[in-house]
Amino acid sequence: MFFEVFCVLCEKKGISVTKATVEMGLSRTIGTKWRKTGAVPNGETLNTIANYFGVTTDYLLGATVEAQFDLLGARLRTWSAKLDFAENDEQRAEAEKEIRLLTAEQERLEAEISENKKTPAPEGERKVSDDDIKFALWGDTSNITDDDLEDVKRYAAFIRERKRRDD
């Protein structure tokens, strides 16, 4: 699944798998390894790839509805090409059947994506958790202490107070 998603992202960006891996500072042949073995990169490499494409690691792993939607789009393009080059009625019928199934699934996912889109909370109702703050500032929160967070909060309070005085 990872490699399929990776290929879809490369296609969207208009570059080859090899060019993408090289631009990220990875081995030229790592894409072949992912394709042949089904291997998934480790956490650090996964983060590098996610940052390069501007997606989440969950998206890369095919764990989001959006990733599933994009994969269906790629499969639809493949089956459309098969339909275009079908040599007989049996191949045409198979391609048409797959296209109908994939289109129905894509429509279902599109509806799910629309339902899941969050509307912003009205002003004053939004609550930001400490975990939200940690993630926004550091991304990887595994080595962030409560003292680090408190230092940031004190600094933010200092800036707020200074702006209040200046106004």
Side-chain angles (χ1 to χ4, degrees):
M1 169 102 32
F2 162 76
F3 187 70
E4 282 182 277
V5 173
F6 186 81
C7 290
V8 167
L9 290 168
C10 288
E11 182 183 326
K12 280 182 167 185
K13 196 167 179 133
I15 60 173
S16 70
V17 167
T18 302
K19 181 171 180 165
T21 57
V22 169
E23 285 184 0
M24 286 181 268
L26 305 173
S27 161
R28 302 180 59 79
T29 59
I30 194 70
T32 303
K33 176 185 174 189
W34 294 333
R35 180 178 51 82
K36 286 184 176 180
T37 66
V40 176
N42 66 28
E44 185 178 324
T45 302
L46 210 54
N47 283 329
T48 298
I49 297 167
N51 289 336
Y52 178 81
F53 287 111
V55 298
T56 65
T57 54
D58 282 345
Y59 179 99
L60 283 175
L61 297 173
T64 66
V65 176
E66 292 80 6
Q68 293 298 316
F69 182 83
D70 290 345
L71 284 173
L72 283 171
R75 290 178 186 139
L76 269 168
R77 288 187 295 280
T78 299
W79 279 102
S80 292
K82 286 182 181 184
L83 179 61
D84 290 344
F85 294 101
E87 295 178 357
N88 56 49
D89 289 342
E90 185 179 319
Q91 288 177 349
R92 266 189 292 288
E94 180 187 13
E96 288 169 349
K97 177 183 173 189
E98 285 299 320
I99 289 169
R100 278 193 306 277
L101 291 170
L102 290 169
T103 301
E105 180 64 8
Q106 199 173 40
E107 288 170 359
R108 185 191 69 74
L109 287 175
E110 193 169 40
E112 189 175 332
I113 289 168
S114 293
E115 287 175 20
N116 289 338
K117 290 211 177 194
K118 294 182 179 178
T119 55
E123 194 62 36
E125 290 185 24
R126 187 169 11 143
K127 302 290 185 230
V128 178
S129 72
D130 286 351
D131 286 338
D132 293 335
I133 294 169
K134 287 179 183 178
F135 182 78
L137 294 173
W138 294 286
D140 175 21
T141 62
S142 59
N143 62 352
I144 305 304
T145 66
D146 290 337
D147 288 340
D148 294 334
L149 182 60
E150 289 307 313
D151 287 344
V152 168
K153 287 180 176 181
R154 280 193 295 277
Y155 182 71
F158 166 76
I159 296 297
R160 262 193 317 272
E161 180 60 27
R162 186 176 72 189
K163 283 187 174 235
R164 188 186 63 73
R165 278 194 313 248
D166 290 348
D167 288 342

